Amino acid sequence: MKQNNLAIFIFSLFLFPLSLFAEDGSRLWLRYEPLPSVQMEKYKYLIYIAKDEKSATLDIAANELSVAWEGFSGKRLSLASLQNGAVVIGTSKSKNIKALLPKEELEALKGESFLIRSVKKGGNNYTVIASAKEVGTLYGVFHFIRLVQMDEGFGHLDIKEAPKYAIRILNHWDNLDRTVERGYAGHSLWKWEELPNTLSPRYKEYARANASIGINATVLNNVNASPEILTENYLVKVKALADVFRPYGIKVYLAVNFSSPKEIGGLSDSDPLNPEVAKWWKNKVKEVYSLIPDFGGFLVKANSEGLPGPQDYGRTHADGANILADALNPYGGVVMWRAFVYSTGDEDRAKQAYLEFVPLDGQFRDNVIIQIKNGPVDFQPREPFSPLFGALNKTPEMVEFQITQEYLGFSNHLVYLAPLFKETLDSDTYSNGSGSTVAKITDGTLRPDKLTAISAVANIGEDANWCGHHFAQANWYAFGRLAWNHQLSAERIADEWIRMTFSRNNEFVDPVKSMMLTSRETVVDYMMPLGIHHVFAFGHHYGPEPWCDVPGARPDWLPKYYHKADSTGLGFNRTSTGSNAVSQYFSPLNGIYNDISRCPENLLLWFHHVPWDYKMKDGKTMWDNLCYKYDSGVRQIREYQKIWDRIEPYIDARRFGEVQSKLKIQAHDAVWWKDACLLYFQTFSKRPVPYDIERPVYELEDLKKIKLDMNHHN
Ligand code: GCV
């Protein structure tokens, strides 16, 4: 290397240290890259941080602001007293804040809501960020940092934000051996073997990332819960994590095994009506709170997929939930009781949660909330909303989404989930007349004075980029933003995320955003269009196996149970002539779903067994529609590959390359899905694949031989 070339090389190492070494995705959406100086000029009135309260949370807020500023402009903000150019942060008790905001407004601030305002007083300029609670101020600071990056509103800010849900919670399906059920981003973040003495720096980073999007709670362990988690040995580890998370406003919850009194308490049973069992739970809860005074509560999967529960003793889910609720009640703890139950009986699996829980409405304690998966089966690429939403009048209900992509290509496929989340939240249940959306039922609008919460199964693991796929980070981000405000659009959320995570250049933002916004529909098209569901490979759920037959397996774990392909047609008859699952929906939806001509086409095969030649709205047959959908999914992925290759100049080489490689896998998988499903269904339809679409490239018999080595049950 010539000497001047060497000098340039060394110089460039200093100039671009981050893009060369650090773009591994670990900084998430909190990268705080330099902002253009013209933009920073607008912020010349921002020089100091004024904070007059002692608080770990406010220290975090001040530090975050300062670090962000250093990233944006190269200059940290220094702490100072109230003076011109200060960002004033604090609670409604702060003297500074009281000097700048009217008393009535401060009194009106409640809970975690916050206010951000540009204030001019005595010729001085201030930016005020205030809340009743310290954590609300922290949320306000993160919101402000986001606004700066979106280049919105500085100098005339007047923002009030309040969260739609009181509890915004992640569910980790992390096992104590650090494997993660349905996790695709490496091992669990929680290093149980080192806790409580060694605290990984990632615990704080995790808490910070969650706080930045308003997530305020976490269930640390798998709902397929080991009783061990409630032993003293583990509780001190849980306490260590809770201590790290506390200043970030995050409460810890645990998933508990219903048999814990018997398994670790040495009792003869775990019958909820056994006074010894009640006593055991009371004592255990007391022990938990003595270690973790702000402990959130329990999440319970009971009498589901082989787990123990109250029905083992002839008791109901209400009996089971109430025994825990009574133990938690004195401390303000909550029970999240899952409605994900289905037995081996004959009843359509999609109907079972409703059948089980509706008769129990009114029997649960006030601190019990029923956690319901968004759809009636299991986190499929598309399902109708669960009919249980709105069906319980006296019991609070919460949604459980799945951020981890169990049924959506693991961390190999690029799928932006905000449109899926919003589809559920915006669905009208008609429970209280038109406009009774799932959001309004669960956020307290239509069930006032009830607990409100929203949850999602996390996709976070030990991988450097946290989520396995760089774009899977967007789903964590989107869940948090929607849990805070479900009225935000999927587009707005994508826009924020792209600008903070990758680039603010519109040449990048616009095409990438369009790719994200269509990506969920694309995955539906190449996996399971028109309402088909659960045609996944057995066990691991990666890839297609519509033909799958496992001798001795539960019928409702097999694709044929769901697609019901035969010579007459395809789809599950859930109308009044079939399983009558439609009857679980309120009018007029029950009628709409029941009527093949009015049923939305994207759910047609969910509710109807449809003849292959049935004429769809576009005049083509159902079979042809199916073929065109699969083909369109494949073509869309090809488009994404082109979009991604074109944006190469705008981002770092590492993330570009990693996403490019994943898109290749996705493109491959989309063709696999298309060929597997069409060739298999064709053995029933006996109709040609329309001649204007790409021909299959695989032989059905070869696809049937694929067996991936991934260990998972059902
Ligand atoms: C945690 C599905 C998944 C299981 C999961 C279960 C649940 O069946 O495949 O891995 O178990 O849902 O939500 O409880």
Side-chain angles (χ1 to χ4, degrees), residues 395-415:
T395 314
E397 302 182 303
M398 65 189 280
V399 184
E400 175 178 343
F401 287 118
Q402 193 180 44
I403 307 176
T404 193
Q405 293 169 230
E406 173 181 356
Y407 295 101
L408 292 149
F410 294 8
S411 53
N412 283 336
H413 293 199
L414 187 161
V415 187

Side-chain angles (χ1 to χ4, degrees), residues 173 181-182 224 301 305 338 340 373 378 406 714:
W173 285 356
E181 182 153 352
R182 313 304 181 182
N224 289 329
K301 172 175 177 178
E305 299 188 331
R338 291 176 94 227
F340 180 66
K373 288 191 182 182
D378 197 11
E406 173 181 356
N714 69 314

Side-chain angles (χ1 to χ4, degrees), residues 442-517:
T442 53
D443 75 1
T445 310
L446 293 172
R447 303 279 190 278
D449 306 325
K450 294 252 182 293
L451 274 175
T452 66
I454 185 164
S455 66
V457 182
N459 61 351
I460 301 161
E462 225 191 354
D463 280 5
N465 72 9
W466 300 86
C467 304
H469 192 307
H470 291 291
F471 276 78
Q473 296 177 356
N475 297 330
W476 177 9
Y477 183 83
F479 170 70
R481 296 290 287 134
L482 287 172
W484 182 270
N485 180 6
H486 54 66
Q487 280 164 345
L488 290 171
S489 69
E491 179 175 2
R492 163 76 199 192
I493 296 169
D495 204 67
E496 291 176 0
W497 179 81
I498 297 169
R499 288 175 195 276
M500 297 190 293
T501 306
F502 280 111
S503 163
R504 285 179 301 276
N505 188 328
N506 286 334
E507 303 288 321
F508 180 88
V509 176
D510 294 341
V512 169
K513 191 164 56 180
S514 78
M515 171 170 85
M516 286 173 73
L517 288 171

